Amino acid sequence: MTLHYYFARKFLWTFFGITMIFVVLLALIDLVDELQDFPDLPFLDVLEVVLLNLPHANYEILPLVLILASVALFVRLARSSELVVLRASGRSGLVGLMAPVIMAGMIGVVGVTVFNPIVAASSKRYNDLVNGHLNMGQSILAIASEGLWLRQGNAFGQTVIHAARASSDVTVLYDTTFISFSPEGEPLRRITAKSARLGDGEWVLSSAKLWDLGALRNPEAEARRMEQLSMPSPLTRDRIIDSFGKPEYISLWDLPKFITQLEEAGFSARRYAVWFQMELARPLFLMALVLVASAFTMRHGRTTNTGVSVLTAIMLGFTLHYVRNFAQVLGENGQIPVILAAWAPPIASFLLAMGLLLHTEEG
């Protein structure tokens, strides 16, 4: 156990050191970028934007940090001949890998269960803050158990839209209610419709009933029924879909409930289901990256070209990471099943790394 604690401690300190380097670099780069995007904002406001974006930026590059930490650890162990001593004591090189691999899995578990909610909260706040500075407003859509809510507005006021359900492409709403408000917040009219189709700059309502709430007389007595009614709208299909927010804006613990709400509202939740499964598979993928890095860098420095080995390990790690992202795209587009898109790349990476290690250590 002393040997495992020793390797685990060295790997953990190497990981923390590389992480801090990237934290500082990303913060400085993002600070310069945000100062250029918001030259009129006070420095403290810009600094707040940078700090809110920092967790997401570092969470995205976690696989890269794991690869670099693994390569740095094993190259250092090989140069100090500690791996030679390990093998000379009768132990296989695979035994020395147990502690770093387990630590990578623990880092992945902590990242998914603890750091993921922090990243989701900070990313959502960052997105809302940037949109506020750019005068783009916040999210125009919300999903609830009773259906979905939309908001649209212009210089003449705001309109709140409620629908019991919607089509998968969000262009048709069913059992809808439109309530229009003046700029001062006073209700102007209420419209119910069997369905509302989003066209080019307008909602086309069918089987509609309109109440004029601004009149002094009885709105129900003067309500009008129309087979078809058009309402101007600045909304587009892409803008509504973007209002759902990216999957990384939602905590892992809240994703199952959110997916259920999306499906009950008639939307496709495949994008969020793929992200949820990929987050669950993240610890296994990080463990596979450590094994891949060790397969090329555990050899003694005198018997191999260290530079080529390090470059090969990093390039193979990047390749596996891009394959994982490509599988994510295929899963979101429905080309392959969700489980296959999320779990096939980590499992394949793990088996590939084990095959390379068994060939180099036991072959």
Side-chain angles (χ1 to χ4, degrees), residues 93-126:
L94 296 177
V95 175
L97 284 175
M98 290 180 58
V101 170
I102 292 175
M103 287 304 302
M106 293 177 62
I107 290 172
V109 171
V110 172
V112 169
T113 58
V114 179
F115 198 55
N116 177 277
I118 298 175
V119 172
S122 63
S123 299
K124 183 64 171 63
R125 175 59 181 162
Y126 166 81

Side-chain angles (χ1 to χ4, degrees), residues 20-67:
M20 292 308 301
I21 292 174
F22 275 99
V23 167
V24 174
L25 287 177
L26 290 177
L28 293 176
I29 294 173
D30 196 24
L31 179 61
V32 174
D33 188 42
E34 298 296 347
L35 286 174
Q36 293 177 347
D37 292 339
F38 304 106
D40 299 328
L41 277 183
F43 179 78
L44 290 180
D45 291 343
V46 176
L47 186 61
E48 180 185 5
V49 172
V50 172
L51 293 178
L52 287 173
N53 189 43
L54 202 56
H56 176 261
N58 284 275
Y59 193 65
E60 284 290 306
I61 63 169
L62 183 58
L64 169 63
V65 175
L66 255 295
I67 295 174

